[in-house]
Amino acid sequence: MEQQCARKLSAILSPHDQTAKNELLQSFMYNTSDGIVIMDLEGRVLAVNHAFEFMYGWSSEEVVGKILPTTPPYQMVDSMVLHHKTLAGMKVNDYKTCNLRKDGNLIHVSVTISPIKNSQGNIIALIGVERDITAHKNAEKRLFERGDDSRQLLENSLEPIIVYTEYKIVYANPAAIDFIGAKHRENVIGKYIFEILPHHFIDDLVYNENASKIIQNKFVRMDERIIDVEVKAIPIHYSGKPSVQLLCRDISDRKKVENSLYEAESLYKNVVENALIGVYICQAGKTIYANLSLAKMFGYSMEEFMEIQPSELTFEEDWAELFEDARNTLIEPESKFRFHIRGKKKDQSVIYLEGSAIPIINKGEPAVFVAILDVTYKKESEDLLIESAQRYQALVKFLPEPIVVSVDGLILYANLSAMKMVKASRDQDVIGKSTFDFVHPEYHEASRAIMRDVLQTDEPFSFQDRKIICTDGEVIEVEISSIRIHNYMGKMATLSVIRDLSERKRTEESLIQSEKLSVVGQLAAGVAHEIRNPLTSLSGFCKLLKSRFGDQVSYIDVMLNELDRINMIVNEFMTLAKPHITQFTNGSVNEILKSVMSILETQAILLNVNMETLLDESIPYVYCEENQLKQVFINVIKNAIEAMPQGGNVTITTAKSNDGYVCVRIIDQGKGIPNEIIDKIGGPFFTTKESGTGLGLMICHQIIESHQGFLHISSKIGEGTTVEILLPVFSTNL
């Protein structure tokens, strides 16, 4: 290793480069009192002089070929940085540091490192010149130790203080070391002030007998962090020499606050200036600020708007109320006043405004800050929504389908159809009551389950059959479908649509009745066909027997009577079986009844029945087929007479009803019909008479329905039966 180092050193001082410069270098190494060390590019020692050996205690043989052992461990990083700077061609001047001696003690040294270049300009080695400044440092330390209280104040001051003499830093307190960004005082003392502060910064500090002004500028610390500083220079004498004391302060935080305030002010100004809402500031009854949006809101330019009095922008009554409310509200600190007024634009059109006002301080005096929003479109939209809501409310109210809205089982709304369905005359009969007051008890559990499930989905539930109890106690059959409403008066509600099944039940019964009639018609056709031919033969032979034997055989008349009865039944069957072509004309119900009564009068007298008539002669004609109506009246009156075998009264009345019908009532005083069988009357083959067929009233129902009328039977046991026939009054071909 030593031989390699010798070759490298010989190369540096080779015969090719034996110049006056080399001679000077050799002379300087051996005669100077400063320690000299020559290193290769990797940092290994090539040579040291006697002064270096004396300074550190290592002989040349101990260090040549090795990395210089004088650097303390905590200085390794700084040493490497200096080494790389020198390799880059830079020169390190008067670098103050502490190095290790062979005996382990530290000495203070000032180091200068320079690159050595060959004739081609390439760096081939490094040379370091080190001066022992320990005595100087110790003297400085003793000076500090002998210092008075003022020096202690300097050392403990939180303000950074730097002293430089002939532009070299000779003192820096701990706060200044931290301010500069140095790790140790040795990294600062002895450096030129220009290495800490830029030239233009120092030039701005007036150097004379008086202190300078405070100067603000940017400062790059030794750790390369940029801060904002302010510095003041004070001329002093330090160690008997004219010097400058710098009082420094880091104002980065203050600058950040100032910048933040400026940015905030700029931001708020831009926000206010460009806001879509109107902003207005009033002080001492005068407009001191308004943004462009407010001026445009009223249709003015900024110049015009600033000349307008606030009271001119609204209506007199609105302004008086606004002024009074604002005065009463804004007298309290940190109060806030909201308002809704009508505004008056430049073209005198009306706009609707809403806003808020708060008290503020402007230039030390009280003022009012007002934010205003044009809500004309919102107001118009709300009016349209209200109008639309009223229309829908009216639509729901008069909808023919019953609708009920409930929350937690309590009814909050029911439309007119729902009120009518349960026969309620007042809202109090339904609103506020539980839905279970109207649901039949046998459906309570199922209804509770449906109510729970409805609130879990937005899908409507299918119609479910239920029974409803009306306010008068009547039970009706209905079907109900429900759906969830998310916001009804701020609550989750259930809307139920109800359908009264009474009409459907009647329709189904009519269909069943029609089906029965169809079956009877088919049966009648078959029976009539099979019976008529043998019936004709039997009747003919009975008449032949009667003509031959005369009165000798009494049972022939009985046979003929029974055959006539069979023939009558067959004819009734044929009436059901065959469609008839009927011709309707305008007819008088009274005249038809009179004709029928003349036919039945004899039978009534025989049974001791008195027929009374109360006929309204003013009733209009009905559009009818007279023979069919005669058949109906004969059948009904005949039934009334036969219902009183012991005699009695049959009352027949006619009148015009208020709903456009002629009403015929036939009232008897018979024993009456039980309620359980009254609905069955009119069905095929159902009769209360021993000799009846049940076809008569069925045919009557059929005839009245073909006249678009109604036949209704009511009865009370022990009092009698009333048959009511309604025939419409109009002249249209049925």
Side-chain angles (χ1 to χ4, degrees):
M1 179 63 70
E2 292 181 0
Q3 293 178 353
Q4 292 178 353
C5 292
R7 285 196 296 272
K8 288 182 180 180
L9 184 61
S10 299
I12 295 171
L13 303 174
S14 63
H16 302 287
D17 289 318
Q18 291 296 331
T19 61
K21 182 178 179 182
N22 288 335
E23 292 176 359
L24 254 143
L25 176 60
Q26 292 183 36
S27 174
F28 177 72
M29 284 185 64
Y30 290 107
N31 296 307
T32 182
S33 60
D34 293 331
I36 305 295
V37 57
I38 300 176
M39 298 171 289
D40 63 13
L41 300 183
E42 295 176 355
R44 292 186 178 87
V45 176
L46 299 177
V48 295
N49 65 354
H50 294 297
F52 182 91
E53 292 175 327
F54 176 78
M55 186 184 302
Y56 287 103
W58 278 291
S59 65
S60 175
E61 290 78 10
E62 289 177 309
V63 295
V64 170
K66 299 177 182 179
I67 300 297
L68 199 64
T70 59
T71 304
Y74 64 85
Q75 292 281 16
M76 282 297 181
V77 174
D78 292 342
S79 178
M80 291 176 63
V81 171
L82 296 176
H83 183 75
H84 286 298
K85 284 185 177 181
T86 311
L87 290 177
M90 300 172 62
K91 182 179 180 181
V92 178
N93 286 316
D94 197 20
Y95 177 74
K96 304 292 191 304
T97 185
C98 290
N99 281 347
L100 277 171
R101 284 175 49 85
K102 183 178 179 180
D103 57 13
N105 292 321
L106 286 174
I107 59 172
H108 293 275
V109 294
S110 173
V111 179
T112 298
I113 306 174
S114 303
I116 299 175
K117 299 180 181 180
N118 59 16
S119 57
Q120 286 79 31
N122 297 323
I123 298 174
I124 58 176
L126 305 176
I127 183 169
V129 179
E130 301 187 12
R131 179 174 295 173
D132 186 353
I133 59 173
T134 304
H136 176 75
K137 285 292 181 180
N138 290 336
E140 204 174 66
K141 181 179 180 182
R142 286 193 298 273
L143 178 64
F144 275 96
E145 290 174 351
R146 293 195 304 267
D148 55 12
D149 293 339
S150 61
R151 181 171 293 279
Q152 293 296 324
L153 290 174
L154 290 177
E155 284 294 297
N156 296 307
S157 173
L158 297 177
E159 294 291 331
I161 299 173
I162 300 173
V163 178
Y164 64 88
T165 303
E166 295 179 350
Y167 296 110
K168 275 191 176 183
I169 298 174
V170 294
Y171 172 76
N173 69 349
I177 301 301
D178 182 65
F179 171 80
I180 293 170
K183 293 182 179 180
H184 304 285
R185 195 191 301 265
E186 289 76 12
N187 300 134
V188 177
I189 301 302
K191 287 187 176 293
Y192 283 100
I193 190 65
F194 301 116
E195 296 183 56
I196 304 300
L197 296 175
H199 279 278
H200 69 274
F201 200 84
I202 298 300
D203 294 340
D204 289 338
L205 295 172
V206 179
Y207 185 60
N208 53 30
E209 295 181 355
N210 300 318
S212 72
K213 296 180 180 180
I214 296 176
I215 296 177
Q216 294 183 1
N217 212 322
K218 296 285 186 182
F219 169 55
V220 181
R221 290 163 38 113
M222 294 181 71
D223 57 7
E224 299 184 356
R225 185 161 68 89
I226 300 175
I227 60 174
D228 290 284
V229 299
E230 60 182 16
V231 179
K232 183 176 183 178
I234 302 174
I236 64 171
H237 278 76
Y238 186 83
S239 298
K241 296 181 180 180
S243 303
V244 176
Q245 175 180 294
L246 299 180
L247 303 179
C248 309
R249 181 174 296 169
D250 184 349
I251 59 171
S252 299
D253 292 338
R254 191 178 80 189
K255 279 290 186 181
K256 288 179 181 178
V257 173
E258 290 175 354
N259 292 337
S260 297
L261 289 173
Y262 175 78
E263 290 172 0
E265 182 181 355
S266 177
L267 173 64
Y268 290 135
K269 183 178 179 181
N270 286 326
V271 168
V272 169
E273 290 291 338
N274 299 290
L276 297 179
I277 64 172
V279 176
Y280 169 79
I281 300 177
C282 175
Q283 192 171 37
K286 296 182 180 179
T287 301
I288 62 171
Y289 176 79
N291 68 349
L292 184 59
S293 294
L294 185 62
K296 288 182 177 180
M297 193 180 295
F298 285 89
Y300 292 97
S301 67
M302 281 299 300
E303 293 76 12
E304 292 173 330
F305 189 83
M306 296 302 291
E307 299 297 326
I308 297 293
Q309 292 297 320
S311 58
E312 298 178 31
L313 299 172
T314 185
F315 293 87
E316 183 177 350
E317 59 273 21
D318 289 7
W319 174 254
E321 183 179 352
L322 174 65
F323 186 81
E324 183 65 22
D325 290 344
R327 184 175 64 180
N328 294 335
T329 304
L330 297 178
I331 57 175
E332 296 292 334
E334 300 184 2
S335 58
K336 188 174 185 179
F337 170 66
R338 294 187 180 276
F339 59 86
H340 300 268
I341 60 171
R342 295 172 299 163
K344 192 187 301 181
K345 297 183 68 172
K346 182 179 180 180
D347 60 6
Q348 300 302 305
S349 61
V350 178
I351 57 175
Y352 293 89
L353 307 170
E354 67 179 29
S356 62
I358 57 173
I360 62 172
I361 299 298
N362 180 60
K363 297 180 179 179
E365 297 294 329
V368 177
F369 177 93
V370 184
I372 304 174
L373 184 64
D374 183 354
V375 294
T376 305
Y377 178 77
K378 175 184 174 183
K379 179 72 167 55
E380 293 172 349
S381 299
E382 287 177 351
D383 291 342
L384 289 174
L385 285 174
I386 292 172
E387 182 182 347
S388 177
Q390 291 174 343
R391 284 200 303 268
Y392 282 114
Q393 186 176 3
L395 176 65
V396 172
K397 181 177 180 180
F398 296 103
L399 201 67
E401 290 269 57
I403 292 177
V404 173
V405 178
S406 62
V407 174
D408 297 330
L410 292 179
I411 298 173
L412 299 185
Y413 175 79
N415 68 350
L416 291 178
S417 297
M419 300 283 288
K420 183 179 178 181
M421 182 185 66
V422 297
K423 301 179 182 178
S425 57
R426 304 173 305 165
D427 288 344
Q428 298 92 311
D429 296 337
V430 176
I431 305 303
K433 292 185 176 294
S434 171
T435 55
F436 296 103
D437 291 343
F438 298 94
V439 177
H440 196 277
E442 65 181 272
Y443 291 101
H444 280 189
E445 192 59 36
S447 297
R448 287 192 182 93
I450 291 292
M451 289 173 63
R452 287 194 301 267
D453 294 342
V454 163
L455 297 178
Q456 305 303 317
T457 177
D458 288 327
E459 296 297 324
F461 269 66
S462 59
F463 280 94
Q464 305 288 324
D465 289 344
R466 295 286 184 270
K467 288 182 181 178
I468 294 295
I469 304 173
C470 300
T471 55
D472 61 357
E474 181 186 354
V475 177
I476 60 174
E477 295 186 22
V478 299
E479 60 180 9
I480 303 176
S481 175
S482 300
I483 190 171
R484 176 174 65 180
I485 301 177
H486 284 277
N487 187 2
Y488 184 83
M489 299 174 65
K491 298 179 180 179
M492 189 79 73
T494 301
L495 183 144
S496 300
V497 178
I498 308 172
R499 292 177 182 171
D500 188 349
L501 296 181
S502 302
E503 185 63 33
R504 182 188 297 181
K505 292 291 183 182
R506 286 193 292 269
T507 303
E508 290 175 354
E509 290 174 1
S510 298
L511 290 174
I512 294 172
Q513 185 73 3
S514 299
E515 185 65 25
K516 289 180 180 179
L517 289 174
S518 175
V519 172
V520 170
Q522 295 175 10
L523 177 62
V527 170
H529 179 74
E530 295 297 330
I531 293 178
R532 259 200 167 172
N533 289 334
L535 188 63
T536 302
S537 300
L538 289 174
S539 179
F541 282 118
C542 285
K543 289 178 181 179
L544 181 60
L545 288 174
K546 183 177 181 180
S547 64
R548 287 186 179 183
F549 298 103
D551 297 333
Q552 298 178 12
V553 183
S554 60
Y555 55 79
I556 292 178
D557 289 332
V558 176
M559 293 172 62
L560 285 172
N561 288 335
E562 293 302 322
L563 287 172
D564 287 340
R565 177 173 172 76
I566 294 172
N567 189 52
M568 180 191 69
I569 294 173
V570 170
N571 286 336
E572 288 184 353
F573 271 127
M574 293 304 295
T575 301
L576 292 173
K578 292 195 308 182
H580 296 276
I581 300 175
T582 56
Q583 294 184 351
F584 285 77
T585 59
N586 289 329
S588 170
V589 172
N590 288 344
E591 293 301 323
I592 296 173
L593 283 171
K594 291 175 182 178
S595 174
V596 168
M597 289 175 63
S598 65
I599 296 173
L600 298 175
E601 187 175 4
T602 303
Q603 183 180 1
I605 294 171
L606 290 174
L607 294 176
N608 196 25
V609 173
N610 179 38
M611 291 194 297
E612 299 178 354
T613 58
L614 297 172
L615 305 180
D616 183 358
E617 298 298 337
S618 66
I619 62 172
Y621 285 161
V622 297
Y623 197 66
C624 64
E625 207 289 317
E626 291 190 11
N627 289 328
Q628 288 187 352
L629 287 187
K630 284 181 181 180
Q631 184 178 355
V632 171
F633 294 149
I634 289 172
N635 203 325
V636 175
I637 297 173
K638 184 171 177 290
N639 285 343
I641 294 171
E642 293 175 350
M644 298 180 292
Q646 307 301 323
N649 293 324
V650 174
T651 303
I652 303 168
T653 67
T654 60
K656 182 181 179 182
S657 65
N658 293 329
D659 50 358
Y661 286 88
V662 170
C663 178
V664 180
R665 288 187 180 89
I666 301 165
I667 308 168
D668 66 50
Q669 296 177 335
K671 60 182 180 180
I673 305 170
N675 288 333
E676 60 268 17
I677 66 172
I678 198 168
D679 291 335
K680 299 179 181 179
I681 294 177
F685 308 114
F686 182 85
T687 180
T688 59
K689 297 187 291 185
E690 294 181 1
S691 59
T693 62
L695 299 175
L697 277 178
M698 187 176 69
I699 294 171
C700 291
H701 274 287
Q702 190 180 49
I703 291 172
I704 296 301
E705 286 178 2
S706 69
H707 282 70
Q708 296 189 3
F710 302 94
L711 189 151
H712 178 70
I713 301 173
S714 60
S715 182
K716 291 184 178 181
I717 299 297
E719 295 183 12
T721 302
T722 299
V723 177
E724 186 176 74
I725 300 171
L726 296 175
L727 296 169
V729 179
F730 54 81
S731 299
T732 302
N733 190 0
L734 302 178

